[in-house]
Amino acid sequence: PAIVYTSVVQGVEYEITQGSPLQHLHEQNAPCAVCDVPTRARVIMVPAKTVCPPSWTREYYGYLMTEQDSYHRSLYTCIDVNPEPIPGESSNTDPSLLYHTVTNCNGLLCPPYEDNRLLYCVVCTK
């Protein structure tokens, strides 16, 4: 009998456009990461910021990334400002693709945002 898939677990690949500060990662497979700070109970990801709210500790900051708009939307992920690929894995298999998230001033308050800019993010613990 045929197997019926309801969901597939697969890897994810950086899909970086030319001119990005992460262009060297284009079509590289991204490793999984977990933010685990045993001495702190809460973790938040704040989009469009690189600093944490008062009384929170910054664990890392980076770029807000997700699937492309034309695909089924996924969760937004904060990718470290200095991300790494999986060593030896650059076969361009396109399992799932991570794209930069950019601003669009159509409905977004500009300023303080600027149109078509990469969005940063920060991961904070408390």
Side-chain angles (χ1 to χ4, degrees):
I3 297 173
V4 177
Y5 294 103
T6 56
S7 183
V8 176
V9 175
Q10 59 188 10
V12 65
E13 182 178 292
Y14 299 111
E15 193 71 12
I16 309 297
T17 57
Q18 198 168 19
S20 163
L22 303 181
Q23 189 173 344
H24 66 285
L25 292 172
H26 182 64
E27 296 182 349
Q28 298 282 318
N29 293 327
C32 292
V34 174
C35 185
D36 179 28
V37 184
T39 58
R40 299 190 192 106
R42 299 190 299 173
V43 178
I44 61 170
M45 187 273 288
V46 184
K49 299 284 183 184
T50 58
V51 296
C52 295
S55 80
W56 287 79
T57 300
R58 181 171 84 178
E59 298 300 330
Y60 69 92
Y61 76 99
Y63 299 98
L64 194 63
M65 298 183 84
T66 191
E67 286 275 359
Q68 192 177 47
D69 282 344
S70 60
Y71 298 158
H72 295 288
R73 189 150 314 199
S74 65
L75 296 175
Y76 289 95
T77 304
C78 190
I79 303 296
D80 192 288
V81 71
N82 295 308
E84 300 174 5
I86 297 175
E89 295 284 325
S90 61
S91 58
N92 188 25
T93 57
D94 291 344
S96 288
L97 303 174
L98 285 174
Y99 290 87
H100 280 292
T101 301
V102 297
T103 53
N104 182 319
C105 287
N106 182 16
L108 184 65
L109 188 59
C110 296
Y113 297 101
E114 295 181 42
D115 198 40
N116 202 34
R117 296 291 179 142
L118 298 181
L119 274 176
Y120 287 100
C121 54
V122 63
V123 172
C124 311
T125 59
K126 186 173 186 176

